[in-house]
Amino acid sequence: RLSASFMLAAVGAQLTLLGEKSARNDRDRQIAFQAAEAALGDAEIDIMGPNSASNSRNDQMDSRTLQLFVEGCGTTADNRGLCSTNTNTTPFYKSIDFEETGNSRRYVTLGEYTGRATGFATGSSALPAQLPRYIIETIAYNPIQGSNAQHKAFLVTALGYGLNQQTQVMLQSVIFKPNLKC
């Protein structure tokens, strides 16, 4: 009888620990998901505005104004994270090293072109391990059926981190910004 009681107690303790570990992993994934959503929102402001950051580039991006976009994704202060239409079968997000640091990286961190990183802390308590990041690539888009107009939309790929840097969530969104100067 006593050994059966110990066995039940041990199984109960294991189940409790397993439940706690599962809840911790879920919380970590939720934090990464929310960070990736924040990066999608930042990219939308980068493209659409309103953006009062000194290095704002939203006036230079619409469905036909694409000179900032470069093959393989830009690395300069003007075109970082801006990728021209992908002609390869491998998606851009698989060829970008999102862990690279420095000025030659091919992704944008949250707030880099919008100033929105203020107040987005990382690395302590219940906060993401790193700032979320994103790339923007052009994709073909024809908003008017039957028209020969050549427009582009923007495919945003965002990466968010959880408490553990290994916990990552990637989200994508398509944004169309019409050329209002037609």
Short mmCIF file of all heavy atoms in Angstrom, two decimals, residues 77-115:
data_model
loop_
_atom_site.label_atom_id
_atom_site.label_comp_id
_atom_site.label_asym_id
_atom_site.label_seq_id
_atom_site.Cartn_x
_atom_site.Cartn_y
_atom_site.Cartn_z
N ALA A 77 22.10 51.93 -45.39
CA ALA A 77 21.16 52.64 -44.52
C ALA A 77 19.88 53.02 -45.25
O ALA A 77 18.82 53.10 -44.64
CB ALA A 77 21.82 53.89 -43.94
N ASP A 78 19.95 53.24 -46.56
CA ASP A 78 18.77 53.63 -47.33
C ASP A 78 17.88 52.45 -47.71
O ASP A 78 16.66 52.58 -47.76
CB ASP A 78 19.18 54.34 -48.63
CG ASP A 78 19.81 55.69 -48.36
OD1 ASP A 78 19.51 56.29 -47.32
OD2 ASP A 78 20.61 56.13 -49.21
N ASN A 79 18.48 51.30 -48.01
CA ASN A 79 17.68 50.18 -48.54
C ASN A 79 17.74 48.90 -47.72
O ASN A 79 17.37 47.84 -48.21
CB ASN A 79 18.07 49.90 -49.99
CG ASN A 79 19.50 49.41 -50.14
OD1 ASN A 79 20.17 49.08 -49.17
ND2 ASN A 79 19.98 49.38 -51.36
N ARG A 80 18.18 48.98 -46.50
CA ARG A 80 18.30 47.78 -45.66
C ARG A 80 16.96 47.04 -45.58
O ARG A 80 15.92 47.62 -45.30
CB ARG A 80 18.76 48.14 -44.26
CG ARG A 80 18.92 46.90 -43.36
CD ARG A 80 19.62 47.20 -42.07
NE ARG A 80 21.03 47.43 -42.36
CZ ARG A 80 21.68 48.56 -42.11
NH1 ARG A 80 21.06 49.56 -41.54
NH2 ARG A 80 22.95 48.70 -42.41
N GLY A 81 17.00 45.75 -45.86
CA GLY A 81 15.81 44.91 -45.75
C GLY A 81 14.83 45.03 -46.89
O GLY A 81 13.76 44.43 -46.85
N LEU A 82 15.16 45.78 -47.93
CA LEU A 82 14.26 45.95 -49.09
C LEU A 82 14.76 45.05 -50.22
O LEU A 82 15.88 45.22 -50.71
CB LEU A 82 14.20 47.40 -49.53
CG LEU A 82 13.71 48.40 -48.47
CD1 LEU A 82 13.69 49.81 -49.04
CD2 LEU A 82 12.37 48.00 -47.93
N CYS A 83 13.91 44.11 -50.64
CA CYS A 83 14.30 43.08 -51.59
C CYS A 83 13.44 43.18 -52.85
O CYS A 83 12.22 43.22 -52.77
CB CYS A 83 14.08 41.70 -50.98
SG CYS A 83 14.63 41.55 -49.26
N SER A 84 14.10 43.20 -54.02
CA SER A 84 13.34 43.20 -55.27
C SER A 84 12.69 41.84 -55.45
O SER A 84 13.00 40.88 -54.75
CB SER A 84 14.25 43.55 -56.44
OG SER A 84 15.24 42.56 -56.61
N THR A 85 11.80 41.75 -56.41
CA THR A 85 11.04 40.52 -56.64
C THR A 85 11.97 39.32 -56.74
O THR A 85 12.95 39.34 -57.47
CB THR A 85 10.19 40.64 -57.91
OG1 THR A 85 9.33 41.78 -57.77
CG2 THR A 85 9.35 39.40 -58.14
N ASN A 86 11.65 38.30 -55.98
CA ASN A 86 12.46 37.09 -55.92
C ASN A 86 12.28 36.28 -57.20
O ASN A 86 11.16 35.93 -57.57
CB ASN A 86 12.04 36.27 -54.70
CG ASN A 86 12.97 35.12 -54.43
OD1 ASN A 86 13.93 34.88 -55.15
ND2 ASN A 86 12.69 34.40 -53.36
N THR A 87 13.38 35.97 -57.86
CA THR A 87 13.32 35.15 -59.07
C THR A 87 13.80 33.73 -58.81
O THR A 87 13.78 32.91 -59.72
CB THR A 87 14.18 35.79 -60.19
OG1 THR A 87 15.52 35.94 -59.70
CG2 THR A 87 13.62 37.14 -60.61
N ASN A 88 14.21 33.45 -57.60
CA ASN A 88 14.66 32.10 -57.23
C ASN A 88 13.51 31.29 -56.68
O ASN A 88 12.47 31.83 -56.30
CB ASN A 88 15.77 32.17 -56.17
CG ASN A 88 17.00 32.87 -56.68
OD1 ASN A 88 17.36 32.73 -57.84
ND2 ASN A 88 17.64 33.64 -55.81
N THR A 89 13.71 30.00 -56.59
CA THR A 89 12.68 29.14 -55.98
C THR A 89 12.78 29.14 -54.46
O THR A 89 11.83 28.80 -53.79
CB THR A 89 12.80 27.70 -56.50
OG1 THR A 89 14.13 27.23 -56.25
CG2 THR A 89 12.51 27.63 -57.99
N THR A 90 13.92 29.56 -53.92
CA THR A 90 14.09 29.65 -52.47
C THR A 90 13.57 30.99 -51.98
O THR A 90 14.01 32.03 -52.46
CB THR A 90 15.59 29.53 -52.09
OG1 THR A 90 16.09 28.30 -52.60
CG2 THR A 90 15.77 29.57 -50.58
N PRO A 91 12.62 30.98 -51.05
CA PRO A 91 12.09 32.25 -50.53
C PRO A 91 13.20 33.08 -49.87
O PRO A 91 14.14 32.53 -49.29
CB PRO A 91 11.06 31.81 -49.49
CG PRO A 91 10.78 30.38 -49.78
CD PRO A 91 11.99 29.82 -50.43
N PHE A 92 13.08 34.40 -49.96
CA PHE A 92 14.09 35.28 -49.36
C PHE A 92 14.30 34.99 -47.88
O PHE A 92 15.43 35.01 -47.40
CB PHE A 92 13.72 36.75 -49.53
CG PHE A 92 14.15 37.34 -50.84
CD1 PHE A 92 13.25 38.04 -51.61
CD2 PHE A 92 15.44 37.21 -51.30
CE1 PHE A 92 13.63 38.60 -52.82
CE2 PHE A 92 15.83 37.75 -52.50
CZ PHE A 92 14.91 38.45 -53.27
N TYR A 93 13.23 34.75 -47.14
CA TYR A 93 13.38 34.59 -45.70
C TYR A 93 14.27 33.40 -45.35
O TYR A 93 14.85 33.35 -44.27
CB TYR A 93 12.03 34.49 -44.99
CG TYR A 93 11.25 33.23 -45.26
CD1 TYR A 93 11.47 32.08 -44.51
CD2 TYR A 93 10.28 33.19 -46.24
CE1 TYR A 93 10.74 30.93 -44.75
CE2 TYR A 93 9.55 32.05 -46.49
CZ TYR A 93 9.79 30.92 -45.75
OH TYR A 93 9.07 29.78 -45.99
N LYS A 94 14.41 32.46 -46.26
CA LYS A 94 15.31 31.32 -46.01
C LYS A 94 16.77 31.65 -46.32
O LYS A 94 17.66 30.96 -45.85
CB LYS A 94 14.88 30.10 -46.83
CG LYS A 94 13.61 29.46 -46.32
CD LYS A 94 13.33 28.18 -47.04
CE LYS A 94 12.11 27.50 -46.43
NZ LYS A 94 11.86 26.20 -47.05
N SER A 95 17.00 32.70 -47.08
CA SER A 95 18.37 33.06 -47.43
C SER A 95 18.92 34.20 -46.57
O SER A 95 20.09 34.54 -46.66
CB SER A 95 18.46 33.45 -48.91
OG SER A 95 17.74 34.63 -49.16
N ILE A 96 18.09 34.79 -45.74
CA ILE A 96 18.51 35.90 -44.87
C ILE A 96 19.01 35.33 -43.55
O ILE A 96 18.36 34.48 -42.94
CB ILE A 96 17.33 36.86 -44.59
CG1 ILE A 96 16.77 37.44 -45.89
CG2 ILE A 96 17.73 37.96 -43.62
CD1 ILE A 96 17.65 38.42 -46.58
N ASP A 97 20.15 35.81 -43.10
CA ASP A 97 20.67 35.43 -41.78
C ASP A 97 20.13 36.44 -40.77
O ASP A 97 20.68 37.54 -40.62
CB ASP A 97 22.19 35.42 -41.79
CG ASP A 97 22.78 35.04 -40.44
OD1 ASP A 97 22.00 34.70 -39.51
OD2 ASP A 97 24.01 35.08 -40.30
N PHE A 98 19.04 36.09 -40.11
CA PHE A 98 18.40 37.00 -39.16
C PHE A 98 19.20 37.15 -37.87
O PHE A 98 18.85 37.95 -37.02
CB PHE A 98 16.98 36.53 -38.85
CG PHE A 98 15.99 36.84 -39.94
CD1 PHE A 98 15.60 35.88 -40.85
CD2 PHE A 98 15.45 38.10 -40.07
CE1 PHE A 98 14.70 36.15 -41.85
CE2 PHE A 98 14.55 38.41 -41.07
CZ PHE A 98 14.17 37.44 -41.97
N GLU A 99 20.27 36.38 -37.72
CA GLU A 99 21.12 36.49 -36.53
C GLU A 99 22.34 37.36 -36.78
O GLU A 99 23.06 37.70 -35.86
CB GLU A 99 21.56 35.09 -36.07
CG GLU A 99 20.41 34.14 -35.78
CD GLU A 99 19.40 34.71 -34.79
OE1 GLU A 99 19.81 35.30 -33.78
OE2 GLU A 99 18.19 34.56 -35.04
N GLU A 100 22.58 37.72 -38.04
CA GLU A 100 23.73 38.56 -38.38
C GLU A 100 23.57 39.92 -37.73
O GLU A 100 22.47 40.46 -37.62
CB GLU A 100 23.79 38.71 -39.90
CG GLU A 100 24.93 39.55 -40.39
CD GLU A 100 24.90 39.73 -41.90
OE1 GLU A 100 24.10 39.07 -42.58
OE2 GLU A 100 25.69 40.56 -42.38
N THR A 101 24.67 40.49 -37.30
CA THR A 101 24.65 41.84 -36.72
C THR A 101 25.57 42.72 -37.55
O THR A 101 26.32 42.25 -38.38
CB THR A 101 25.11 41.82 -35.25
OG1 THR A 101 26.43 41.30 -35.20
CG2 THR A 101 24.18 40.99 -34.39
N GLY A 102 25.49 43.99 -37.34
CA GLY A 102 26.37 44.91 -38.05
C GLY A 102 25.66 45.62 -39.18
O GLY A 102 24.47 45.43 -39.43
N ASN A 103 26.43 46.44 -39.89
CA ASN A 103 25.86 47.30 -40.92
C ASN A 103 25.58 46.58 -42.23
O ASN A 103 24.92 47.14 -43.10
CB ASN A 103 26.77 48.50 -41.16
CG ASN A 103 26.78 49.44 -39.98
OD1 ASN A 103 25.81 49.52 -39.24
ND2 ASN A 103 27.88 50.14 -39.79
N SER A 104 26.08 45.39 -42.42
CA SER A 104 25.84 44.68 -43.69
C SER A 104 24.67 43.70 -43.60
O SER A 104 24.43 42.96 -44.55
CB SER A 104 27.10 43.94 -44.12
OG SER A 104 27.43 42.95 -43.18
N ARG A 105 23.94 43.73 -42.51
CA ARG A 105 22.79 42.81 -42.38
C ARG A 105 21.71 43.18 -43.38
O ARG A 105 21.61 44.33 -43.81
CB ARG A 105 22.26 42.80 -40.95
CG ARG A 105 21.76 44.11 -40.47
CD ARG A 105 21.41 44.06 -38.98
NE ARG A 105 21.38 45.37 -38.42
CZ ARG A 105 20.42 46.25 -38.63
NH1 ARG A 105 19.39 45.94 -39.38
NH2 ARG A 105 20.46 47.44 -38.09
N ARG A 106 20.89 42.19 -43.74
CA ARG A 106 19.86 42.40 -44.77
C ARG A 106 18.46 42.44 -44.20
O ARG A 106 17.49 42.22 -44.91
CB ARG A 106 19.98 41.29 -45.82
CG ARG A 106 21.32 41.33 -46.53
CD ARG A 106 21.40 40.38 -47.68
NE ARG A 106 21.18 39.00 -47.29
CZ ARG A 106 20.83 38.03 -48.12
NH1 ARG A 106 20.67 38.28 -49.41
NH2 ARG A 106 20.66 36.80 -47.69
N TYR A 107 18.28 42.74 -42.93
CA TYR A 107 16.97 42.86 -42.31
C TYR A 107 16.89 44.16 -41.52
O TYR A 107 17.90 44.80 -41.25
CB TYR A 107 16.69 41.66 -41.39
CG TYR A 107 17.65 41.58 -40.22
CD1 TYR A 107 17.44 42.32 -39.07
CD2 TYR A 107 18.78 40.77 -40.28
CE1 TYR A 107 18.33 42.26 -38.00
CE2 TYR A 107 19.67 40.71 -39.23
CZ TYR A 107 19.44 41.46 -38.10
OH TYR A 107 20.32 41.41 -37.05
N VAL A 108 15.68 44.54 -41.18
CA VAL A 108 15.41 45.77 -40.42
C VAL A 108 14.95 45.36 -39.02
O VAL A 108 14.15 44.44 -38.86
CB VAL A 108 14.28 46.58 -41.11
CG1 VAL A 108 13.91 47.80 -40.29
CG2 VAL A 108 14.69 46.96 -42.51
N THR A 109 15.45 46.03 -37.99
CA THR A 109 14.96 45.77 -36.64
C THR A 109 13.82 46.74 -36.32
O THR A 109 13.72 47.82 -36.91
CB THR A 109 16.07 45.94 -35.58
OG1 THR A 109 16.62 47.24 -35.68
CG2 THR A 109 17.15 44.89 -35.76
N LEU A 110 12.99 46.33 -35.40
CA LEU A 110 11.84 47.14 -34.99
C LEU A 110 12.28 48.56 -34.67
O LEU A 110 13.21 48.77 -33.90
CB LEU A 110 11.18 46.52 -33.75
CG LEU A 110 9.98 47.29 -33.21
CD1 LEU A 110 8.74 46.89 -33.99
CD2 LEU A 110 9.78 47.03 -31.75
N GLY A 111 11.64 49.54 -35.29
CA GLY A 111 11.88 50.94 -35.00
C GLY A 111 13.03 51.57 -35.74
O GLY A 111 13.24 52.78 -35.64
N GLU A 112 13.76 50.80 -36.51
CA GLU A 112 14.95 51.34 -37.19
C GLU A 112 14.60 52.47 -38.15
O GLU A 112 15.35 53.43 -38.28
CB GLU A 112 15.65 50.20 -37.93
CG GLU A 112 16.98 50.56 -38.51
CD GLU A 112 17.74 49.35 -39.04
OE1 GLU A 112 17.35 48.20 -38.77
OE2 GLU A 112 18.74 49.58 -39.74
N TYR A 113 13.44 52.38 -38.82
CA TYR A 113 13.02 53.42 -39.77
C TYR A 113 11.74 54.12 -39.33
O TYR A 113 11.22 54.94 -40.07
CB TYR A 113 12.84 52.83 -41.17
CG TYR A 113 14.16 52.40 -41.76
CD1 TYR A 113 14.57 51.07 -41.69
CD2 TYR A 113 15.01 53.32 -42.35
CE1 TYR A 113 15.79 50.69 -42.20
CE2 TYR A 113 16.23 52.95 -42.86
CZ TYR A 113 16.62 51.63 -42.78
OH TYR A 113 17.84 51.25 -43.28
N THR A 114 11.26 53.80 -38.14
CA THR A 114 10.02 54.42 -37.67
C THR A 114 10.18 55.09 -36.31
O THR A 114 9.31 55.85 -35.90
CB THR A 114 8.90 53.38 -37.55
OG1 THR A 114 9.27 52.41 -36.57
CG2 THR A 114 8.61 52.72 -38.89
N GLY A 115 11.25 54.77 -35.60
CA GLY A 115 11.44 55.30 -34.26
C GLY A 115 10.55 54.65 -33.21
O GLY A 115 10.47 55.10 -32.09
#
